[in-house]
Amino acid sequence: MSLVLHDYELDSDSYKVRLLLSALGLPYAKVAVNVHPGHEQRSPAYLRLNPLGSLPILVDGETTLRDSGAILCYLARLHDKEGQWLPADPVRFGEVMMWLFFAGADLAPATLARLHHMLEVPADAEAVGAASRRAFRIMDDHMTKRELEGFAWFVGDQATLADIALFPAIALSRDFGIDHDEYPALRRWMRRVRTIPGFITMPGIPDYH
Amino acid sequence: MTAPEDLESRGTAVMGFAAGWYALALGNGLEPGTSAGTQLFDKELVVWRDASGASHVWEDRCPHRGMRLSFGFVRGNHIACLYHGWQYDEAGQCRHIPAHPTLEVPETIKVPTYASVEAAGMIWVRWDGEAAGQPPEDIAAVPVRSLYLDRAPETVAQLLAAGRAGSFETLSPGTFATALEGADLFLALQPYGAERTALHIARTGGDLPLKDIAVWAEELRASLEALPAAGLAPAARQPGAAA
């Protein structure tokens, strides 16, 4: 089967999938969707692929998946034979899923805040900014305690889907006016994420040279 | 253009804190070859550690286009700006401009630097020049965590001094001590901005697990952000924030 990712370069959810595909070393075809200014993801053709009108969308033969969290799990289950990214152990699995749902729900305001700042998507800037800071504080508290117990990643002792799903919102937070000053544990963790083999950047996440 | 000294004096006067040495970060939280942005009295600073392990505190602004240097990266003992790669040496002197690689960089292209020391497991900056007095004592301390609060620095200091969030001994206007389940804790207050405060926390005695102290710190933050400020004594104005 050949993988096809319907993708938008500036979309942080699409970036999560590109990041995992790169870490897994999987070849895939990328279809660039004209989100801005074309709103192509809400065209009739795209609504047939995903009635929510959102990206990314992964097509793998007869299978069509939406939601970056679901796509990450699918790719990990199918192609990560060692179970690093989505551990089989029930406790580790539960913890990874907890952070995946956090990324989809509690970090949604951060995604919206960025789209509001960059592409003028309507939002209550103050409310989404405050919700973003609450979520980042929860992440920093978690990684602070993890580091004090000798761990480097959100779950377990190696990088998982949790790290991939949580990375873009904080790494891109300067796009919507939230600096990293208050999140020292996340600053160190973000440097670790950059060392994952196959790590790639996206616009807004600088490539150190 | 206002001189930096004037800006600093105004900042300390407004927030009720004196000239002194202020902790900006935990020492072990800043790995060699990395940088972190922060603020003191609303002024943006970059704290960075070069490859040889020495830490530096500078104005967080590249003289070229005003980009925050903390967004950039450390290469060896130079820090480089993210925008155009201008590189500065340990003294803040620009040494390399990638667009003009053969240029002898003029001495005038320099980032303002601040005196800083590492003591008690923390990185401290001298604020307001000579009036700051002696640097803090380098007591033995195990760094725990930095806590960031959405609360005015003088309010946090007053709540701690008044015992509203637990029993704290005020060592200086910016430093506090407390005991927690057999451990001795040392807290250094960073007046981050008008409505924002950092508390850098280290364990100076006992063997309570650091994670337990971190959990306690989260609860301290919740208390300090929620407590009413009514009825507190006026801000401390004694000189010297050193331990």
Side-chain angles (χ1 to χ4, degrees), chain A residues 152-164:
Chain A
W153 304 99
F154 265 78
V155 175
D157 49 17
Q158 51 188 343
T160 67
L161 294 186
D163 302 288
I164 299 244

Side-chain angles (χ1 to χ4, degrees), chain A residues 133 137 140-142 144-145 148-149 174 179-184 187-188 191-192 206-209, chain B residues 29 34-38 68 71 73 75 82 144-145 148 150 192 196 210-211 214-215 218 221 225:
Chain A
R133 290 187 68 221
R137 179 183 271 192
D140 189 67
D141 283 348
H142 177 74
T144 297
K145 289 176 283 193
L148 290 174
E149 293 194 302
R174 287 161 174 162
D179 279 331
H180 298 157
D181 304 18
E182 295 187 21
Y183 313 110
R187 183 176 54 75
R188 290 184 291 272
R191 290 185 62 83
R192 277 175 229 133
D207 200 0
Y208 294 158
H209 41 83
Chain B
T34 69
S35 64
T38 191
R68 288 188 77 175
F71 288 17
F73 46 92
R75 282 290 171 269
L82 185 64
V144 181
R145 73 161 295 176
Y148 293 83
D150 288 333
Y192 186 103
R196 207 165 287 185
L210 301 179
K211 185 194 171 188
V215 171
E218 289 175 27
R221 180 183 61 202
E225 287 186 338

Side-chain angles (χ1 to χ4, degrees), chain B residues 53-122:
Chain B
S55 57
H56 309 272
V57 179
W58 295 1
E59 191 173 296
D60 194 9
R61 198 128 323 268
C62 178
H64 179 216
R65 293 286 182 194
M67 179 70 171
R68 288 188 77 175
L69 286 167
S70 58
F71 288 17
F73 46 92
V74 179
R75 282 290 171 269
N77 290 341
H78 289 190
I79 189 166
C81 180
L82 185 64
Y83 263 12
H84 305 98
W86 289 30
Q87 288 191 17
Y88 300 88
D89 71 13
E90 304 94 316
Q93 174 64 46
C94 185
R95 290 297 176 196
H96 182 63
I97 296 176
H100 305 279
T102 58
L103 178 76
E104 178 108 5
V105 181
E107 297 279 317
T108 50
I109 303 180
K110 201 169 185 302
V111 182
T113 63
Y114 293 89
S116 62
V117 295
E118 297 206 31
M122 301 171 186

Side-chain angles (χ1 to χ4, degrees), chain A residues 85-170:
Chain A
W85 297 98
L86 186 61
D89 172 77
V91 174
R92 296 280 173 270
F93 175 82
E95 290 170 342
V96 168
M97 293 311 287
M98 180 179 79
W99 287 113
L100 282 181
F101 285 114
F102 179 93
D106 298 273
L107 285 176
T111 307
L112 183 55
R114 177 167 165 273
L115 295 175
H116 177 70
H117 271 74
M118 292 181 62
L119 306 179
E120 292 167 0
V121 172
D124 178 341
E126 202 170 319
V128 291
S132 303
R133 290 187 68 221
R134 278 197 298 276
F136 294 152
R137 179 183 271 192
I138 288 167
M139 290 166 61
D140 189 67
D141 283 348
H142 177 74
M143 276 315 299
T144 297
K145 289 176 283 193
R146 293 281 293 162
E147 285 188 339
L148 290 174
E149 293 194 302
F151 295 104
W153 304 99
F154 265 78
V155 175
D157 49 17
Q158 51 188 343
T160 67
L161 294 186
D163 302 288
I164 299 244
L166 296 169
F167 178 75
I170 181 70

